């Protein structure tokens, strides 16, 4: 695969700056919602969303992102990556405006799904433009600089959301995306050529429809279990079974396609398949604990949005500091010796939420969050880089699509399962405390701790608010135990998947020679 003519250095730097603005936009969106969940659950300040609706508001974005991203790469090959980038930014900005002024939770969920679709179009195009713009050592340096936008977004997102929520209405956390997207759109139009391939990969509508329908149906069943507080009902296990069946059909279809957008064959290799499974289980735990953390800090502890945002900074700082440290340690020791203990520590920090309570000092919470950020940062970057670097160049795109899809799918399922465990355990824990309470109070308090606090204030029943706080803490403790166990499973999988020091690696699958020789086109 040949590269296009080298662009002037000044133009390359401006393109990198424009891409970093877009990446920062995506990462901000990934983090601001967690700070906004408590406000959205409040009937007075937000939309009065119940836990299931908040799971959908969070998961719909990730679900659309996961299922459309590998198709977006094929669209970029066919129509040009800048063209697809433009479309993604337009969708993202328009749906952000929709989300900001959503009149109910259903509109917010739909707008969030549209935002996920826009992000799915943007992300592969960003990496493709970056790879075409820079060559040789400059490419590695550009990727390193570009990756810092993720850390900045992780650190700035919760604080920005906290500031906006303290001074404006909840929709402002989405409205802020619009001017940033417009600025990025202008930069792309002026600076970036429309890179594309002359022999584009075929589109995969069957795979896209099967993956979307399978994940949506599976997520519906998992979230429905939390709404009805039972696993045995037909409307719970039925969608779960159908979703799993559709995903199985999706894998079969992709195996029969000559050039699949999502290549399951790559997962058959021990290191690549096991490494991705471990990352998926880690992101499962991260998504679930982020969901819990939002309600713990603002709901149970009563932090303001700004204070909650500032409290989460150690996680982002830990992840930022861990990335370069992990790279040095991997060169000195081995990937297995660094990442398996780090993933084990990450799992233990998730279990550490089981020891947090209503009177826990903030210092201990910050130490836990810092340790969590450090351990997660020492796993995700090194493992992802190792998995993709071992693939032939012709399969790097397919491998990246598989890795990103697995990670996003882990996040979707983590939100669904983690939120469902919290809902079921909360309802069971608060039931005894609601005996003798008026019917409307009892019904609203059973929905969530946020609804219970609101109705308790209106009915002058502080005992109900205290019971809700205690029930939430109990639910978080139970959920943390399950989530930590699943993350520990990821550490065990990673231990088995990664070769020991000196052990021969799995042979990489043979690349398609025609794919390697194909030149690039620029409009």
């Amino acid at each position: 695969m040949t590269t296009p003519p080298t662009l002037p250095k000044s133009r390359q730097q401006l393109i990198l700056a424009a891409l970093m603005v877009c990446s920062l936009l995506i990462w901000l969106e990934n983090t601001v919602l967690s700070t906004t969940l408590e406000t959205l659950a409040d009937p007075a300040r937000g939309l009065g969303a119940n836990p299931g609706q908040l799971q959908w508001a969070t998961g719909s974005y990730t679900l659309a992102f996961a299922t459309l991203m590998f198709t977006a790469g094929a669209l970029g090959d066919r129509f040009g990556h800048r063209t697809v980038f433009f479309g993604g930014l337009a969708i993202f900005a328009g749906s952000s405006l929709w989300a900001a002024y959503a009149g109910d939770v259903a509109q917010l969920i739909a707008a969030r799904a549209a935002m996920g679709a826009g992000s799915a179009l943007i992300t592969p195009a960003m990496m493709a433009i970056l790879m075409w713009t820079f060559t040789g050592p400059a490419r590695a340096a550009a990727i390193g600089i570009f990756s810092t936008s993720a850390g900045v977004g992780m650190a700035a997102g919760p604080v920005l959301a906290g500031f906006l929520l303290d001074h404006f209405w909840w929709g402002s956390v989405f409205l802020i995306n619009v001017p940033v997207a417009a600025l990025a759109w202008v930069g792309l139009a002026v600076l970036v050529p429309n890179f594309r391939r002359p022999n584009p990969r075929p589109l995969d509508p069957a795979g896209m429809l099967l993956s979307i329908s399978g994940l949506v149906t599976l997520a519906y069943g998992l979230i429905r279990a939390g709404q009805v507080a039972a696993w045995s009902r037909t409307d719970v296990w039925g969608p779960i079974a159908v979703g799993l069946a559709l995903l199985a059909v999706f894998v079969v279809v992709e195996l029969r396609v000559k050039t699949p957008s999502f290549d399951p064959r790559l997962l058959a290799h021990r290191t690549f398949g096991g490494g991705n499974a471990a990352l998926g289980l880690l992101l499962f735990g991260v998504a679930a604990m982020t969901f819990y953390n939002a309600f713990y800090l603002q709901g149970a502890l009563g932090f303001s949005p700004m204070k909650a945002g500032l409290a989460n900074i150690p996680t982002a700082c830990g992840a930022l500091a861990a990335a370069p440290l992990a790279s040095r340690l991997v060169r000195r020791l081995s990937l297995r010796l660094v990442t398996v203990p780090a993933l084990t520590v990450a799992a233990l920090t998730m279990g550490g939420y089981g020891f947090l309570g209503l009177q826990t000092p903030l210092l201990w919470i910050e130490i836990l969050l810092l340790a969590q950020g450090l351990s997660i940062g020492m796993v995700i970057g090194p493992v992802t880089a190792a998995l993709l670097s071992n693939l032939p160049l012709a399969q790097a795109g397919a491998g990246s699509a598989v890795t990103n899809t697995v990670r996003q799918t882990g996040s979707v399922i983590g939100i669904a399962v983690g939120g469902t465990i919290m809902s079921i355990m909360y309802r069971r824990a608060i039931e005894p405390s609601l005996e003798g309470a008026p019917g409307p109070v009892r019904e609203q308090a059973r929905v969530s701790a946020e609804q219970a606090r609101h109705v308790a204030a209106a009915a002058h029943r502080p005992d109900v608010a205290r019971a809700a706080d205690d029930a939430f803490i109990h639910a978080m403790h139970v959920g943390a135990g399950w989530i930590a166990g699943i993350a520990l499973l990821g550490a065990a999988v990673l231990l088995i998947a990664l070769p020991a020091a000196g052990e021969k690696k799995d042979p990489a699958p043979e690349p398609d020679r025609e794919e390697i020789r194909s030149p690039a086109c620029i409009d």
Side-chain angles (χ1 to χ4, degrees), residues 8 40 53 73 160 182 294 322 329 389 407 412 415 484:
L40 290 172
Q53 291 170 327
L160 176 63
L329 289 175
S389 63
R407 286 164 57 171
V412 171
I415 293 166

Side-chain angles (χ1 to χ4, degrees), residues 99-125:
Y101 294 100
D104 54 42
V105 182
Q107 289 185 37
L108 177 62
I109 292 171
R112 287 278 299 165
M115 292 172 72
S119 297
L121 294 174
I122 292 170
T123 302

Side-chain angles (χ1 to χ4, degrees), residues 22 25-26 29 60-61 64-66 68-69 72 83-96 110-126:
C22 296
L25 185 68
I26 300 299
E29 181 52 40
S60 62
Y61 175 94
F65 190 93
L68 295 177
M69 187 163 50
T83 300
V84 173
F85 208 146
F86 280 163
L89 273 176
I91 292 172
F92 188 87
S95 53
S96 295
R112 287 278 299 165
M115 292 172 72
S119 297
L121 294 174
I122 292 170
T123 302
M126 274 195 303

Side-chain angles (χ1 to χ4, degrees), residues 74-86:
L75 289 173
D77 292 342
R78 183 175 296 270
F79 301 109
H81 292 290
R82 187 184 66 179
T83 300
V84 173
F85 208 146
F86 280 163

Side-chain angles (χ1 to χ4, degrees), residues 201-242:
R201 289 173 287 166
L203 300 179
D204 186 12
M208 182 178 68
L209 290 175
L210 284 169
S211 62
I212 292 174
S213 57
L215 276 176
V216 168
T217 308
L218 175 61
Y220 172 83
L222 292 171
I223 293 174
R224 182 63 178 163
Q227 293 174 325
V228 299
W231 293 96
S232 58
R233 290 177 43 151
T234 307
D235 58 345
V236 171
W237 62 261
I240 293 175
V242 172

Side-chain angles (χ1 to χ4, degrees), residues 300-385:
L301 298 187
F303 285 10
S304 69
M306 175 61 87
K307 186 176 180 179
L310 291 171
N312 279 301
I313 285 181
T315 305
C317 292
L320 273 174
L325 174 62
S327 297
R328 290 194 292 269
L329 289 175
V330 167
R331 287 195 297 268
R332 183 171 298 181
L333 301 172
S334 72
L335 184 66
R336 192 187 198 192
L337 287 177
V338 173
T339 58
V340 172
L343 183 44
T344 303
V345 172
L348 294 176
T349 63
M350 295 173 191
Y353 277 74
F355 297 95
L356 301 181
L358 297 173
Q359 305 301 325
T360 303
L362 180 59
L363 176 62
W364 292 113
I365 299 172
E366 298 300 274
I367 292 173
L368 181 67
L369 292 176
L370 177 62
Q372 190 172 84
L374 284 167
S375 55
I376 292 170
M378 294 187 72
V379 176
I380 293 179
V383 172
T384 302

Side-chain angles (χ1 to χ4, degrees), residues 14-26 28 81-93 118 122 125-126 129 146 176-193:
L14 289 172
I15 289 174
L16 178 59
L19 294 178
M20 289 185 68
V21 170
C22 296
S23 177
L24 180 63
L25 185 68
I26 300 299
L28 284 173
H81 292 290
R82 187 184 66 179
T83 300
V84 173
F85 208 146
F86 280 163
L89 273 176
I91 292 172
F92 188 87
I122 292 170
M126 274 195 303
I129 291 171
F146 176 78
I176 195 69
N177 295 333
V178 178
V180 179
L183 176 65
W185 203 94
V186 172
L188 289 171
V190 174
L191 298 169
V192 180

Side-chain angles (χ1 to χ4, degrees), residues 23 67 137 162 178 205 357 374 393 400 406 418 451 454 491 495:
S23 177
T67 54
V178 178
L374 284 167
L393 178 61
S400 178
V406 169
Q451 298 274 358
H454 179 76
L495 177 65

